[in-house]
Amino acid sequence: LLKYESKTSLKYSFIKLLDYLWNGANQSYEPVIKFKNQVGQAYRFFQGYQQHDAQEFLTCITQRLHEEMKILPKAGSPGENDPYSGPNSMEAVWTRYMERDNSIFTSLFHGLFQSS
């Protein structure tokens, strides 16, 4: 499962929210409120209870979760210094991209298309 470093991260609040939604044992709304407050701290325009665009909300939280869940590249990995140098095959481009921007979100939602 997902690990978290800090109880103040959006990732931690999201994990607690999912646990609450899936297990349902807790009758408190505390995980929902904590997640909403954490989103408000990360993005000031989501503080309070004004109506917002759902697409904008999902974009913000998925981008933030992606940033918090990135798998950092190992020191000295190829392409680390200049990700756009070297061969330009689609496989090489994708490999360099994944070296610096890999997370569960990248695995689930990103891809690379090449026109023929």
Side-chain angles (χ1 to χ4, degrees), residues 18-85:
L18 291 179
D19 183 53
Y20 167 75
L21 293 173
W22 286 341
N23 295 328
N26 188 353
Q27 296 299 318
S28 167
Y29 289 105
E30 183 181 355
V32 177
I33 294 167
K34 283 187 176 183
F35 180 71
K36 187 252 179 259
N37 290 338
Q38 198 67 33
V39 171
Q41 287 178 4
Y43 300 98
R44 302 188 103 202
F45 49 90
F46 286 121
Q47 290 178 346
Y49 294 94
Q50 297 82 17
Q51 185 173 349
H52 292 284
D53 182 44
Q55 188 270 336
E56 183 179 17
F57 174 76
L58 288 173
T59 299
C60 288
I61 63 168
T62 54
Q63 181 62 34
R64 179 64 175 251
L65 290 171
H66 166 68
E67 291 297 324
E68 289 186 12
M69 293 183 193
K70 273 187 184 177
I71 301 167
L72 299 177
K74 296 174 187 159
S77 42
E80 183 179 303
N81 295 331
D82 184 8
Y84 298 106
S85 65

Side-chain angles (χ1 to χ4, degrees), residues 94-110:
W94 183 251
T95 300
R96 286 192 302 269
Y97 174 75
M98 290 300 288
E99 285 174 356
R100 69 177 189 281
D101 219 15
N102 189 15
S103 78
I104 190 169
F105 288 91
T106 310
S107 300
L108 293 174
F109 302 115
H110 290 207

Side-chain angles (χ1 to χ4, degrees), residues 4-24:
Y4 44 85
E5 293 79 30
S6 168
K7 291 186 178 186
T8 60
S9 70
L10 187 63
K11 179 173 47 171
Y12 177 81
S13 298
F14 186 67
I15 291 168
K16 289 297 185 184
L17 176 65
L18 291 179
D19 183 53
Y20 167 75
L21 293 173
W22 286 341
N23 295 328

